[in-house]
């Protein structure tokens, strides 16, 4: 064999090897960079066309998080991360990005405070490709459960506080909000004119002296309502024909409802999220439990396969099968929020939460149905109902073992008309009022049992 022929065969085989070798892969390409700052935690997401791996370490003085992303070359998409850090981010002060080594990009996050970072990858799901996620939590013994604690404090009331709770160990059922609601009008309603009663007289025509009316000295306690605007952050929820996201509309309705509750005597309110960030389903339940909430209402605006679907509806938990095929499909879609929003399924907190979410009881479901019924009726007086019966399915977010819980679908955002309606303050205000009035109807006849208190 001649030298030229040997050289030709060697070159041909080398080219074939290069073209066919699966072990030689090009570097990953970043397709999107997102930052979700919030008081509870900040999330940074790198979305790429290939799986990324990363190592990280903390530098204490000054506080910095250093992340080395392997299999990556610095590109314009990644450089955009620097400009996406907002001045009001509670955790990240600045970000520096550089090519640290061949196929290794180093991110240095200058921090405003010490953090407990969680770094994990997410496989492709829904519209997302491979994601590398950095969650920066405030330092604590357990970052996820600490996050569950933070929003548990009810919002400050702009109205007079309820009377102090008693120091006895328990209160009777009669000493709760139900009696008060039956005798008084809410601050949301116009006050009724006082009734003038004729004073009784004796046989001499003199007006008989009347003892002053006895004031009901029984102490009242306020009811805590936990509002849960669905989705958020990485999880946009359903998207309307014009691009409106469910997560944004339900947050606006939740804020509207919160303001109404704050003006309602003997009611307090807290929210699972008050800005655009992702909250895992189990953490929403955990927040209600830790806040010792009396009621839980999750707010949504669902989407469907066709734009014809329309109307509002109310759902409760079902330990058995769903009440309809549609309810089952909706529950499956809502329960997929954790996969879309992104949580570390290897986390110990997540494994514990899975056990906790199997603790729902029949008593909780029965109480939830009694709350959902009047809420659905109130909604039906102002909007079209998709279903005139309360539906049931296995919604994870409703699996609190002790708190009556319902999920309200305010509209079908996939319907062009209802998507436009959701964007109007008038519709959101009407929907919030209907939900509150339904809850008040429930409380007027079935007030929650008093909380047990420990004597100091």
């Amino acid at each position: 064999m001649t030298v030229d022929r040997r050289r030709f065969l060697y070159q041909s085989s080398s080219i074939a090897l290069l073209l066919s070798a699966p072990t030689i892969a090009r570097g990953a390409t970043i397709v999107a960079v997102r930052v979700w700052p919030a008081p509870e935690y900040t999330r940074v997401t790198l979305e790429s066309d290939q799986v990324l791996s990363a190592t990280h370490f903390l530098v204490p003085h000054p506080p910095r998080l250093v992340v080395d992303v392997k299999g990556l070359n610095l590109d314009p998409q990644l450089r955009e991360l620097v400009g996406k850090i907002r001045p009001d981010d509670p955790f990240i002060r600045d970000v520096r990005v550089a090519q640290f080594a061949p196929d290794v990009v180093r991110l240095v996050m200058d921090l405003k405070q010490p953090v407990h970072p969680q770094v994990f990858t997410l496989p492709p799901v829904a519209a997302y490709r491979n994601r590398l996620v950095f969650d920066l939590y405030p330092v604590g013994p357990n970052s996820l459960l600490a996050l569950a604690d933070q929003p548990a404090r009810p919002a400050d009331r702009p109205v007079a506080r309820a009377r102090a709770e008693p120091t006895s160990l328990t209160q009777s059922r009669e000493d709760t909000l139900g009696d008060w609601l039956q005798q008084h009008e809410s601050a949301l309603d116009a006050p009724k004119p006082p009734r003038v009663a004729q004073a009784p007289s004796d046989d001499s025509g003199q007006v008989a002296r009347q003892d002053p009316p006895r004031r009901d000295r029984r102490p009242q306690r306020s009811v805590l309502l936990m509002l849960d605007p669905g989705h958020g952050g990485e999880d946009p929820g359903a998207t309307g024909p014009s691009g409106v996201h469910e997560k944004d509309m339900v947050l606006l309705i939740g804020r509207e409802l919160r303001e109404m509750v704050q003006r309602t005597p003997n009611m307090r309110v807290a929210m699972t999220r008050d800005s655009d960030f992702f909250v895992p389903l189990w953490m929403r339940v955990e927040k209600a439990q830790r806040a010792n909430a009396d009621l839980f209402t999750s707010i949504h605006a669902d989407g469907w396969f066709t734009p014809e679907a329309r109307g509002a509806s109310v759902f409760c938990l079902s330990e058995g099968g769903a009440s309809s095929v549609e309810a089952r499909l909706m529950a499956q879609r809502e329960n997929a929020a954790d996969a879309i929003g992104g949580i570390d399924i290897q986390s110990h907190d997540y494994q514990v939460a899975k056990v906790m979410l199997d603790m729902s009881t029949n008593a909780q479901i029965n109480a939830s149905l009694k709350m959902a019924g009047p809420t659905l009726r109130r909604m039906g007086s102002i909007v079209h109902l998709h279903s005139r019966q309360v539906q049931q399915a296995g919604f994870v977010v409703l699996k609190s073992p002790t708190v009556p819980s319902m999920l309200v679908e305010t509209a079908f955002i996939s319907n062009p008309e209802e998507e436009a309606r959701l964007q109007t303050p008038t519709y959101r205000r009407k929907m919030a009022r209907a939900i509150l009035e339904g809850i008040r109807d429930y409380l007027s006849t079935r007030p929650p049992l008093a909380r047990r208190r420990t004597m100091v």
Side-chain angles (χ1 to χ4, degrees), residues 2 20 38 46 109 133 139 155 203 264 288 309 354 384:
T2 64
S20 61
L46 306 182
M109 301 183 189
V133 179
V139 171
D203 294 339
T264 303
K354 286 176 62 179
H384 172 77

Side-chain angles (χ1 to χ4, degrees), residues 25-263:
R26 64 181 179 85
T29 300
I30 299 294
V31 297
V33 176
R34 295 179 292 274
V35 182
W36 306 100
E40 287 79 4
Y41 76 106
T42 288
R43 167 169 290 190
V44 178
T45 303
L46 306 182
E47 186 177 357
S48 62
D49 62 349
Q50 296 183 30
V51 178
L52 297 175
S53 64
T55 58
H56 69 280
F57 59 91
L58 289 167
V59 179
H61 302 295
R64 285 164 286 166
L65 173 64
V66 181
V67 181
D68 290 332
V69 185
K70 302 175 183 178
L72 191 63
N73 291 313
L74 194 58
D75 61 11
Q77 284 276 17
L78 196 53
R79 293 181 187 274
E80 290 181 2
L81 177 60
V82 177
K84 293 193 175 185
I85 304 302
R86 289 169 29 181
D88 60 346
D89 191 306
F91 299 98
I92 303 177
R93 186 183 308 277
D94 195 11
V95 173
R96 288 168 282 153
V97 184
Q99 193 75 46
F100 180 68
D103 295 332
V104 177
V105 170
R106 169 162 287 188
L107 310 177
V108 179
M109 301 183 189
D110 297 316
L111 305 174
K112 295 181 179 179
Q113 59 175 296
V115 300
H116 179 83
Q118 290 190 351
V119 181
F120 56 95
T121 59
L122 296 170
V125 63
Y128 293 119
R129 303 174 79 173
N130 297 280
R131 286 175 288 172
L132 177 63
V133 179
F134 312 93
D135 284 347
L136 308 183
Y137 294 94
V139 171
N142 188 315
S143 60
L144 290 180
L145 293 183
L147 171 58
D149 269 335
Q150 288 180 4
R153 297 184 299 274
D156 290 335
R157 295 278 308 283
V159 296
R161 298 285 183 178
R163 297 177 186 175
E165 294 186 1
T167 56
S168 60
L169 290 176
T170 59
Q171 276 181 300
S172 66
R173 185 180 180 89
E174 290 78 12
D175 287 337
T176 50
L177 183 65
D179 294 337
W180 191 96
L181 282 175
Q182 290 174 338
Q183 299 171 15
H184 297 74
E185 291 294 319
S186 167
L188 295 177
D189 300 325
K192 293 183 178 181
R195 296 176 58 188
V196 180
Q198 183 69 36
S201 61
D202 56 18
D203 294 339
S204 64
Q206 299 293 325
V207 176
R209 184 181 64 86
Q210 286 185 289
D211 292 330
R214 182 180 179 182
R215 295 180 61 188
D216 186 358
R217 299 182 182 277
R218 293 178 300 176
Q220 305 290 340
R221 76 166 178 87
S222 56
V223 168
L224 176 58
L225 170 64
M226 180 66 75
L227 296 179
D228 173 49
H231 309 282
E234 286 284 283
D235 176 19
T239 301
S242 68
V244 175
H245 294 314
E246 176 184 2
K247 66 174 183 178
D248 300 322
M249 295 299 100
V250 299
L251 180 58
L252 292 174
I253 294 174
R255 289 173 175 170
E256 189 77 45
L257 180 52
R258 178 180 61 183
E259 293 181 6
M260 291 182 178
V261 175
Q262 288 174 340
R263 297 195 300 267

Side-chain angles (χ1 to χ4, degrees), residues 379-399:
M379 291 166 56
S381 66
I382 63 168
V383 299
H384 172 77
L385 293 179
H386 185 72
S387 173
R388 295 191 173 275
Q389 301 295 325
V390 176
Q391 300 291 298
Q392 289 182 263
F395 292 90
V396 171
V397 77
L398 301 181
K399 287 190 174 183

